[in-house]
Amino acid sequence: MILAAGRGERMRPLSDTMPKPLLEVRGKALILWLIESMVRAGIREVVINHAHLGDLIESALGDGRLFGAVIRYSRELEALESAGGIASALHILGEAPFVVANGDILCDFDFSTLVKRSLGRHLAHLVLVANPPHHPQGDFSLKSTQVVDEGKPEWTFSGIGLYRPELFAGIRPGAKGQLAPLLRAAMARGLVSGEVHRGVWHDVGTPERLAALNGK
């Protein structure tokens, strides 16, 4: 699943007329970089949620055949936030673990590592990155392969994860909900594993960051 329903407040005024995931980096929409990475990893069934200017996303991507994928859409009247959007799409995602990525990141992460991964007893597996300049406080720490919410956060959540549907069982479809509280509750039970991605990763959250990636 690719999360693409956010309003993109920090990206205004660019996001006033274009959904943030459709903004281009090096001549290609952010969301298309993600789709192509997923297809290369063997992920060909993709669910995309949208709200703000979602018709433009559907017009640009269609059913996904042009990119070697099968795309289905989870339409939201208003953005349901990260966990709410995922919970609302569970009827499409099915009962097996699934990969989720934020629609506004640019990275060279190999999604095939998640395709091959077994969650074991865990509810989630997170991909972490070094704390970027715009988020020096970080999000979580890593003890061996366990993600923990304690001490000084050494790593930032990349927006990429592998999840069991059960993680979202407490959210009613159509209700808003954030992902972080669910993850922290699962971490307290020792049910979140993680890994560090040391390659390319950018959170393309502002016009300035977008311009920098485009060499402007």
Side-chain angles (χ1 to χ4, degrees), residues 4-5 23 37 46 55 62 65 73 78 86 101 111 146 150 157 159 165 182 199 205 210:
L23 294 173
S37 293
V46 179
D55 57 322
R65 280 184 291 181
Y73 297 96
E78 61 174 331
I86 295 169
F111 284 94
Q146 292 293 117
E150 58 188 53
F157 176 41
L182 298 183
L210 180 67

Coordinates of all heavy atoms in Angstrom, one line a residue, residues 4-5 23 37 46 55 62 65 73 78 86 101 111 146 150 157 159 165 182 199 205 210:
A4 N -1.3 8.1 0.2 CA -1.2 9.2 -0.7 C -2.4 10.2 -0.4 O -2.8 11.0 -1.3 CB -1.2 8.8 -2.2
A5 N -3.0 10.1 0.8 CA -4.2 10.8 1.0 C -4.0 12.2 1.7 O -4.9 13.0 1.8 CB -5.2 10.0 1.9
L23 N 4.0 15.2 -7.5 CA 5.1 16.1 -7.8 C 6.3 15.4 -8.3 O 6.6 14.2 -7.8 CB 5.5 16.9 -6.5 CG 4.3 17.9 -6.0 CD1 4.7 18.5 -4.7 CD2 4.1 18.9 -7.0
S37 N 9.8 0.7 -7.9 CA 10.6 0.0 -7.0 C 9.9 -1.3 -6.5 O 10.5 -2.4 -6.3 CB 11.0 0.9 -5.8 OG 11.9 1.9 -6.2
V46 N -0.9 -3.3 -5.9 CA -0.7 -2.1 -5.1 C -2.0 -1.4 -4.8 O -2.9 -1.3 -5.7 CB 0.2 -1.1 -5.9 CG1 0.4 0.2 -5.1 CG2 1.5 -1.8 -6.2
D55 N -8.6 12.4 -7.7 CA -8.9 12.1 -9.1 C -7.7 12.3 -10.0 O -7.5 11.6 -11.0 CB -10.1 12.9 -9.6 CG -9.8 14.4 -9.5 OD1 -9.2 14.8 -8.4 OD2 -10.2 15.2 -10.3
G62 N -4.0 5.3 -13.5 CA -4.9 4.4 -14.0 C -4.9 3.1 -13.3 O -4.8 3.1 -12.0
R65 N -1.4 -0.9 -15.3 CA -0.9 -1.8 -16.3 C 0.4 -1.2 -17.0 O 1.3 -1.9 -17.4 CB -1.9 -2.1 -17.3 CG -2.9 -3.2 -16.9 CD -3.9 -3.6 -17.9 NE -4.8 -2.6 -18.2 CZ -5.8 -2.7 -19.1 NH1 -5.9 -3.8 -19.8 NH2 -6.7 -1.7 -19.3
Y73 N -7.7 1.4 -5.7 CA -7.8 2.7 -4.9 C -8.7 2.6 -3.7 O -9.8 2.0 -3.8 CB -8.2 3.8 -5.8 CG -7.2 4.1 -7.0 CD1 -7.4 3.5 -8.2 CD2 -6.1 4.9 -6.8 CE1 -6.5 3.8 -9.3 CE2 -5.2 5.1 -7.8 CZ -5.4 4.5 -9.0 OH -4.5 4.8 -10.0
E78 N -12.4 12.4 3.3 CA -11.3 13.3 4.0 C -10.2 12.4 4.5 O -10.5 11.2 4.8 CB -11.9 14.1 5.1 CG -12.5 13.3 6.3 CD -12.9 14.2 7.4 OE1 -12.3 15.3 7.6 OE2 -13.8 13.8 8.1
I86 N -5.0 3.0 6.4 CA -4.7 1.6 6.3 C -5.9 0.7 6.7 O -6.3 -0.2 6.0 CB -3.4 1.2 7.1 CG1 -2.2 1.9 6.5 CG2 -3.2 -0.3 7.1 CD1 -1.0 1.9 7.4
A101 N 4.2 2.1 2.3 CA 5.2 3.1 2.1 C 4.5 4.5 2.0 O 3.4 4.6 1.4 CB 6.0 2.9 0.9
F111 N 12.6 -3.3 -1.7 CA 11.4 -3.8 -1.1 C 11.4 -5.4 -1.1 O 10.6 -5.9 -0.4 CB 10.2 -3.3 -1.9 CG 9.9 -1.9 -1.5 CD1 10.3 -0.8 -2.3 CD2 9.1 -1.6 -0.4 CE1 10.1 0.5 -2.0 CE2 8.8 -0.2 -0.1 CZ 9.3 0.8 -0.9
Q146 N 15.0 -5.4 17.7 CA 13.8 -4.9 18.3 C 13.7 -3.4 18.3 O 14.7 -2.7 18.7 CB 13.6 -5.4 19.8 CG 13.4 -6.9 19.9 CD 12.1 -7.3 19.4 OE1 12.1 -8.1 18.4 NE2 11.0 -6.8 19.9
E150 N 12.3 4.1 23.8 CA 13.0 4.5 25.0 C 14.3 5.0 24.8 O 14.9 4.9 23.7 CB 13.1 3.2 25.9 CG 13.8 2.1 25.3 CD 13.8 0.8 26.1 OE1 12.7 0.4 26.4 OE2 14.9 0.3 26.4
F157 N 11.9 6.8 11.6 CA 11.1 5.9 10.8 C 11.0 6.4 9.4 O 10.7 7.6 9.1 CB 9.7 5.9 11.4 CG 8.7 5.0 10.7 CD1 9.1 3.8 10.1 CD2 7.4 5.5 10.5 CE1 8.2 3.0 9.4 CE2 6.5 4.7 9.8 CZ 6.9 3.5 9.2
G159 N 9.0 5.6 7.0 CA 7.7 5.6 6.3 C 7.5 4.3 5.6 O 6.5 4.1 4.9
P165 N -2.4 -7.3 9.6 CA -3.7 -6.6 9.7 C -4.1 -6.4 11.1 O -4.8 -5.4 11.5 CB -4.6 -7.5 8.9 CG -3.7 -8.3 8.0 CD -2.4 -8.5 8.7
L182 N -0.2 3.2 17.7 CA -0.3 1.8 17.5 C 1.0 1.1 17.6 O 1.2 0.0 18.2 CB -1.0 1.4 16.2 CG -2.4 1.9 15.9 CD1 -2.9 1.4 14.6 CD2 -3.3 1.5 17.0
G199 N 21.1 3.5 2.7 CA 21.2 4.0 1.3 C 20.5 5.3 1.2 O 20.3 6.1 2.2
G205 N 9.2 16.6 1.8 CA 8.0 17.2 2.5 C 7.8 18.7 2.3 O 6.8 19.2 2.6
L210 N 12.1 19.6 -2.3 CA 11.9 19.1 -3.7 C 12.8 19.9 -4.6 O 13.4 19.2 -5.5 CB 10.4 19.5 -4.0 CG 9.9 19.1 -5.4 CD1 9.9 17.6 -5.6 CD2 8.5 19.7 -5.7

